Amino acid sequence: MAYCDTLIIKIASRCNINCTYCYMYNLGDDSYKNQPKFISQTTIDEAVKKIGEHCKANNVTKFTFIFHGGEPLLMPKDKFVEMVEKMEMLKNDGITISYSLQTNAILIDEEWCSIFDKYNIGVGVSIDGTKEINDKYRVDKQGKGTYDKVIKGIEISRKYQKGHLGFLSVINLDLDPMAAFQHMKSINALSADFLLLDLNHDTLENEKYDVEKTPSANWYIKIFDKWFSSSEEERIQIRLFDVIIHRILGGLYSIDNIGSGENSVLVLETDGGLEAVDVLKICGDGFTKDNVNINTHNFQDALNAPLAEIYYNSGKYLPKKCLACPVNEICGGGYLPHRYSSKNGFNNAPVYCNDLLKLITHIQNAVIDGMPEELIKESEIQKLTYENALQIIEETLPTIPEPEYAKKLESFRNLEYEVV
């Protein structure tokens, strides 16, 4: 039975900046306009109550809250503390609770740092490479760059907060990847992740992205080679690379955009809506709305909703091309939002299919090159080139029957597409 052990809480549905590529506000979903600016304490009360019930019914002993927005630090500090104190009560039921928060860092001050330390809240900061690139895309409401304000927030955090910051950066193909990597080093990042720009098959053409040339894979590979050749002391943690290597070596660790594990994550909106992952908003206005609300439903209701079920099983509900792919257990079909098209719903390989295949085969071969000869023989692991992998897919694809769940994937297609 599906279960939830991680809840992304949209504690604020507004933001203090206006990133051009933001899936919340600038990619066609306007549902935030009909939602409260902040989540209410009544909704938090109901969420905490039903989380306790859900954990007990499903033997979930560890639960994670991720505070998100919009910009979560827009929430008044006293309301934030009141909310966390309610979540702390779950520990009385024997549930281990952990917290993280994603912010643009502009509003970080000494008092916020004290709150983060008191409740052991891990903080992630969004920043896109160098000042020039960041200020082109991560702008304020007046269109001005935000880099200097973000750096100031980082400095305040490091002065007053005990825990280290993690960093998220959306990759920009206009920025030299080594400049992006060195920038992370220059701000003393200990952990970071570089995210693909959120595209699907409907928006791919607008971005003029050439999937055959695998520009994102080429970008990642330059960073990976430098990162992988670094000493353990010099190497910062890059989640994407860590997960891929873990999967190559037979580990089960997955995240929602890499790996074949279940995605036991739900999103709680400020109006109490319980939904699948928020990036699915790029698929259309109101796309994530399944009419499930924490005030009238429970977590199992949300997990049983059609979109949430597809998201939960996205590493297993793979289209035929992914089933024919020799690295599908590592890739898990990539990120579900990147598979969508109006024509076929989610019954497509992700738009970054070739990029992921090229990156994974490159990393796998680098890992094999670093393994002792005896271990290679014992594990029977073999190198696989990107070109050979493409050939395997081409030869295997005609032999793959349409999976039973294909109708579920296609049920999300836009019916208007067939009329056009």
Side-chain angles (χ1 to χ4, degrees):
M1 181 182 292
Y3 66 92
C4 173
D5 62 10
T6 302
L7 186 65
I8 299 172
I9 305 184
K10 300 287 184 174
I11 62 176
S13 66
R14 301 295 188 273
C15 194
N16 55 338
I17 64 175
N18 187 33
C19 302
T20 58
Y21 56 76
C22 181
Y23 60 81
M24 286 293 296
Y25 307 114
N26 290 324
L27 293 185
D29 188 300
D30 291 329
S31 58
Y32 73 94
K33 295 179 180 178
N34 300 318
Q35 296 179 171
K37 292 182 179 180
F38 299 101
I39 199 165
S40 72
Q41 295 299 325
T42 301
T43 298
I44 293 298
D45 289 338
E46 198 65 26
V48 169
K49 173 189 170 186
K50 289 177 179 174
I51 288 167
E53 294 170 352
H54 180 76
C55 289
K56 183 177 180 180
N58 292 275
N59 296 314
V60 174
T61 58
K62 297 180 180 179
F63 198 91
T64 300
F65 291 99
I66 301 176
F67 304 119
H68 214 276
E71 170 51 48
L73 299 190
L74 287 171
M75 181 182 240
K77 296 183 181 76
D78 60 334
K79 295 297 182 183
F80 184 89
V81 170
E82 183 181 352
M83 173 183 67
V84 177
E85 284 291 338
K86 291 173 179 179
M87 296 168 178
E88 288 282 286
M89 298 298 292
L90 290 167
K91 294 179 179 178
N92 296 335
D93 296 329
I95 304 169
T96 301
I97 301 297
S98 60
Y99 307 103
S100 66
L101 180 144
Q102 191 66 31
T103 177
N104 56 42
I106 292 173
L107 298 175
I108 289 179
D109 58 20
E110 183 176 355
E111 189 177 355
W112 273 121
C113 292
S114 298
I115 294 170
F116 299 152
D117 282 342
K118 179 177 180 179
Y119 297 104
N120 195 26
I121 298 173
V123 178
V125 173
S126 299
I127 185 170
D128 285 354
T130 61
K131 176 179 171 64
E132 179 184 4
I133 289 295
N134 184 93
D135 285 355
K136 186 176 180 180
Y137 299 99
R138 296 186 62 84
V139 296
D140 62 19
K141 304 292 185 178
Q142 288 74 45
K144 298 179 180 178
T146 60
Y147 183 87
D148 291 339
K149 293 179 180 179
V150 175
I151 293 298
K152 182 179 179 181
I154 292 170
E155 292 172 348
I156 292 172
S157 174
R158 287 186 167 146
K159 182 176 181 180
Y160 295 108
Q161 188 184 343
K162 296 176 183 176
H164 81 267
L165 299 173
F167 294 90
L168 284 182
S169 182
V170 176
I171 73 171
N172 189 299
L173 299 177
D174 294 332
L175 176 63
D176 177 72
M178 294 315 302
F181 182 63
Q182 291 303 324
H183 178 265
M184 284 295 182
K185 302 270 284 186
S186 73
I187 60 175
N188 298 313
L190 298 179
S191 62
D193 208 3
F194 297 96
L195 307 179
L196 290 163
L197 186 67
D198 287 316
L199 299 176
N200 59 36
H201 292 275
D202 289 351
T203 59
L204 190 63
E205 187 175 339
N206 295 335
E207 292 293 329
K208 298 180 180 179
Y209 188 89
D210 191 337
V211 297
E212 299 300 326
K213 292 183 178 179
T214 62
S216 294
N218 300 336
W219 198 94
Y220 276 125
I221 285 169
K222 289 181 181 179
I223 292 181
F224 173 80
D225 287 344
K226 177 67 175 178
W227 175 84
F228 195 63
S229 64
S230 302
S231 66
E232 290 290 337
E233 294 76 21
E234 295 178 323
R235 189 181 298 172
I236 67 175
Q237 180 184 3
I238 297 180
R239 187 177 63 165
L240 177 64
F241 298 160
D242 286 339
V243 173
I244 291 174
I245 291 172
H246 194 84
R247 299 291 298 185
I248 288 169
L249 297 176
L252 299 177
Y253 178 45
S254 297
I255 50 180
D256 62 355
N257 58 356
I258 287 288
S260 55
E262 292 87 0
N263 294 319
S264 51
V265 182
L266 286 171
V267 174
L268 180 64
E269 289 283 358
T270 57
D271 63 355
L274 267 179
E275 306 176 1
V277 67
D278 48 356
V279 182
L280 287 163
K281 293 177 185 293
I282 71 171
C283 301
D285 191 19
F287 194 89
T288 60
K289 303 304 177 185
D290 267 325
N291 298 317
V292 178
N293 194 288
I294 195 65
N295 294 295
T296 51
H297 299 77
N298 58 37
F299 276 77
Q300 211 59 55
D301 294 327
L303 291 164
N304 291 339
L307 185 58
E309 184 204 346
I310 295 292
Y311 171 66
Y312 185 89
N313 294 292
S314 63
K316 296 179 174 60
Y317 287 1
L318 300 180
K320 288 174 63 175
K321 184 179 179 181
C322 293
L323 292 173
C325 178
V327 301
N328 66 49
E329 290 190 0
I330 298 170
C331 174
Y335 202 20
L336 182 65
H338 299 165
R339 295 187 207 169
Y340 182 76
S341 74
S342 298
K343 182 179 180 180
N344 299 317
F346 294 109
N347 199 11
N348 311 282
V351 293
Y352 294 110
C353 176
N354 289 353
D355 290 282
L356 292 170
L357 182 62
K358 189 172 186 178
L359 176 63
I360 290 169
T361 52
H362 180 88
I363 292 177
Q364 179 171 295
N365 293 338
V367 169
I368 293 174
D369 284 340
M371 292 172 63
E373 191 67 31
E374 306 79 35
L375 185 57
I376 294 175
K377 290 180 179 179
E378 181 182 335
S379 64
E380 298 182 344
I381 191 171
Q382 296 181 352
K383 285 189 174 183
L384 177 68
T385 67
Y386 171 60
E387 291 74 20
N388 285 344
L390 287 174
Q391 184 177 356
I392 290 171
I393 294 171
E394 183 179 354
E395 294 173 352
T396 307
L397 187 56
T399 71
I400 302 292
E402 195 71 29
E404 293 182 2
Y405 51 76
K407 290 183 179 179
K408 289 185 177 182
L409 298 176
E410 292 177 358
S411 68
F412 291 93
R413 68 188 188 279
N414 187 344
L415 296 180
E416 293 180 4
Y417 184 92
E418 298 180 357
V419 177
V420 173

